[in-house]
């Protein structure tokens, strides 16, 4: 049993956990920058973060200019806000976009990085508390921040142990009015993380156990996802499953499914989780031919075979996007050059095959 597993983020889960655990914020200093998007002002998450800070007498300011798929420009603006406010710590409130932006902001507030993508990230990063309001990315428990890289025309992650948040608060009540399409797309992202983590050369007993637990919790909500009907308990199950899957990829990384998906997002604005979901069944079915033992273990964790998995995701995804061959070829070429710790090797031609079957014309 050889593996290594690292998880430095404290997880606090349950209804009203932010306000109930306000004293936990005290350790990080006197002044907080809250990094968020637009929806947190309406779903109660921003108000809870503000109430916790007010209870502690901590000063704060809000930076709410994080776009979906955060840009380098936006995190530089956030870092400038952190510096001018003299922030001691960062609170990220929102989906993957604000949570990822917060990590880059926490780093840039303390380190000068001319090129953020090649900068060697040091240990001096502002401490972070993350409050997810979508159940998908698991960013609250990962050391990754995914930013748009216009130079390379894709999305690219920056990563370092110092980018792990110190605390993640998991309260599903913020997702009460999360739109159905975002709920489904983010749940598929989490499913994709659990599956891709099990395909990694860095997978081990503990990450596989977490992946199985994530899939149990996420697929336990399948009927609710299909019907768009959620109880507070289903919201919490999705959030818990997404965090478990996040702990998996924090240790294993993702697979070429994510790299291929970045092109769908970069060039056509396909939401991140949806992009993965469109590609994952065809990718996994090919893995079965290349590494039967490993892939059968994944289908066993899913509790279904290749056909059923494909059908179930197709029901959630609805009508598929389709793109011309010229684009698919370019995306396969780009993905073939990116390094992933996937135990199943795919040639450029095979990646093209996955794209063709999933979103070809
Ligand atoms: P998102 O881009 O953060 O949010 C999607 C949409 O949902 C936004 O319009 C957002 O609005 C809105 N929203 C968020 N929470 C809401 C709520 N509770 N109620 C109503 N609306 C809400 O989407 P995401 O899927 O969570 O994150 C995707 C990003 O995460 C991508 O950039 C992806 O590359 C990245 N990612 C990161 C990791 C990682 O390990 N770090 C892993 C996977 C993916 P506002 O933003 O305006 O509030
Ligand atoms: Zn993802």
């Amino acid at each position: 049993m050889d593996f290594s597993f690292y998880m430095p983020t404290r997880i606090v889960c349950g209804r009203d956990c932010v306000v109930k655990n306000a004293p936990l914020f005290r350790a990080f200093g006197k002044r907080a920058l809250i990094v968020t998007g637009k929806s947190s002002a309406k779903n109660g998450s921003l108000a809870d973060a503000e109430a916790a800070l007010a209870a502690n007498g901590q000063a704060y300011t809000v930076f709410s200019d994080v776009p979906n798929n955060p840009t380098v420009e936006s995190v530089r603006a956030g870092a400038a806000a952190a510096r001018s406010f003299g922030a001691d710590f960062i609170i990220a409130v929102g989906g993957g976009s604000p949570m990822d932006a917060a990590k880059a902001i926490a780093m840039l507030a303390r380190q000068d990085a001319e090129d953020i993508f090649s900068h060697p990230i040091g240990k001096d990063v502002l401490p972070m508390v993350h409050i997810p309001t979508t159940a998908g990315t698991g960013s609250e428990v990962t050391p990754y921040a995914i930013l748009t890289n216009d130079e390379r025309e894709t999305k690219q992650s920056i990563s370092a142990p110092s980018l792990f948040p110190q605390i993640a608060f998991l309260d599903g009540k913020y997702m009460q009015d999360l739109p159905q399409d975002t709920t489904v797309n983010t749940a598929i992202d989490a499913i994709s993380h659990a599956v891709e983590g099990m395909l990694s050369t860095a997978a081990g007993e503990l990450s596989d156990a977490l992946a199985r637990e994530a899939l149990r919790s996420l697929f336990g909500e399948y009927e609710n996802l299909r019907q768009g009907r959620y109880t507070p308990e289903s919201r919490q199950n999705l959030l818990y499953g997404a965090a478990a899957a996040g702990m998996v990829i924090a240790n294993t990384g993702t697979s070429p499914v994510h790299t291929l998906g970045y092109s769908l997002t970069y060039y056509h604005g396909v939401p991140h989780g949806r992009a993965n979901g469109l590609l994952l069944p065809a990718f996994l079915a090919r893995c079965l031919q290349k590494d039967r033992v490993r892939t059968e273990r994944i289908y066993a964790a899913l509790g279904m075979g290749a056909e059923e998995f494909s059908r179930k995701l197709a029901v959630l995804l609805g009508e598929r996007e389709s793109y011309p061959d010229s684009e698919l070829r370019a995306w396969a070429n780009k993905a073939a050059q990116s390094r992933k710790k996937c135990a199943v090797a795919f040639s450029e031609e095979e990646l093209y095959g996955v794209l063709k079957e999933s979103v070809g014309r």
Side-chain angles (χ1 to χ4, degrees):
M1 202 186 270
D2 294 350
F3 69 84
S4 140
F5 188 88
Y6 184 58
M7 181 39 57
T9 305
R10 177 204 283 255
I11 294 165
V12 185
C13 183
R15 194 165 180 94
D16 299 326
C17 60
V18 171
V19 171
K20 281 183 185 161
N21 293 279
L24 288 177
F25 288 78
R26 284 188 198 142
F28 303 115
K30 294 196 170 78
R31 300 171 73 78
L33 179 75
I34 300 180
V35 175
T36 191
K38 303 298 174 214
S39 60
S40 63
K42 294 172 222 146
N43 62 36
S45 54
L46 179 60
D48 277 2
E50 291 178 322
L53 293 169
N56 294 334
Q58 290 165 303
Y60 64 87
T61 188
V62 179
F63 177 79
S64 62
D65 292 335
V66 179
N68 289 356
N69 304 303
T71 56
V72 173
E73 207 179 24
S74 67
V75 298
R76 287 206 187 279
R83 286 185 192 216
S84 75
F85 184 65
D88 300 314
F89 66 110
I90 304 281
I91 302 180
V93 186
S97 295
M99 288 196 288
D100 282 4
K103 293 175 185 173
I105 290 169
M107 188 270 282
L108 289 171
R110 300 298 279 261
Q111 301 175 35
D112 291 318
E114 206 172 296
D115 174 5
I116 192 167
F117 295 107
S118 61
H119 173 72
I121 301 171
K123 288 190 180 151
D124 190 13
V125 171
L126 291 178
M128 287 174 271
V129 174
H130 280 218
I131 305 173
T133 66
T134 62
T137 70
S139 179
E140 66 276 11
V141 291
T142 74
Y144 314 124
I146 324 286
L147 304 173
T148 298
N149 184 341
D150 284 318
E151 209 167 286
R152 293 179 59 184
E153 297 192 350
T154 187
K155 299 186 64 175
Q156 193 175 334
S157 79
I158 59 168
S159 163
S162 52
L163 296 188
F164 272 107
Q166 271 63 22
I167 309 183
F169 286 104
L170 308 182
D171 189 343
K173 76 177 181 186
Y174 306 131
M175 296 171 5
Q176 192 182 319
D177 298 319
L178 187 68
Q180 167 66 355
D181 57 348
T182 312
T183 302
V184 165
N185 292 339
T186 46
I188 292 177
D189 189 23
I191 289 168
S192 198
H193 294 163
V195 169
E196 291 177 56
M198 290 183 83
L199 284 171
S200 169
T201 52
E205 277 75 1
L206 198 47
S207 65
D208 277 1
L210 274 166
R212 282 193 294 272
E213 174 66 353
L215 293 172
R216 181 197 65 74
S217 195
L218 295 162
F219 266 103
E221 293 302 324
Y222 181 77
E223 275 310 308
N224 293 326
L225 285 165
R226 198 174 63 77
Q227 293 170 30
R229 286 210 308 249
Y230 308 96
T231 60
E233 194 190 357
S234 2
R235 290 294 190 186
Q236 201 68 26
N237 288 339
L238 291 169
L239 193 53
Y240 164 73
M247 287 186 260
V248 174
I249 58 164
N251 284 275
T252 63
T254 55
S255 80
V257 170
H258 264 64
T259 323
L260 292 170
Y262 290 153
S263 286
L264 271 68
T265 302
Y266 186 85
Y267 293 108
H268 295 284
V270 178
H272 171 70
R274 179 175 176 83
N276 295 333
L278 288 166
L279 305 169
L280 184 63
F283 185 86
L284 193 58
R286 278 170 171 74
C287 290
L288 194 57
Q289 282 138 35
K290 290 160 164 281
D291 187 339
R292 178 160 290 276
V293 174
R294 184 183 289 266
T295 314
E296 276 179 348
R297 215 185 302 136
I298 298 175
Y299 285 120
L302 286 163
M304 64 191 94
E307 254 179 55
E308 188 181 349
F309 181 51
S310 190
R311 189 165 13 94
K312 282 203 154 140
L313 280 201
V315 167
L316 295 181
L317 290 164
E319 200 184 329
R320 277 169 189 270
E321 296 78 346
S322 68
Y323 305 104
D325 246 25
S326 55
E327 287 195 77
L328 307 187
R329 291 272 175 208
W331 301 344
N333 176 268
K334 194 173 271 194
Q337 286 160 39
S338 135
R339 269 171 237 329
K340 287 279 177 192
K341 286 185 270 187
C342 190
V344 188
F346 274 69
S347 67
E348 183 176 330
E349 193 59 29
E350 287 167 330
L351 292 175
Y352 164 76
V354 170
L355 285 166
K356 183 77 181 166
E357 183 182 331
S358 309
V359 291
R361 280 200 180 145

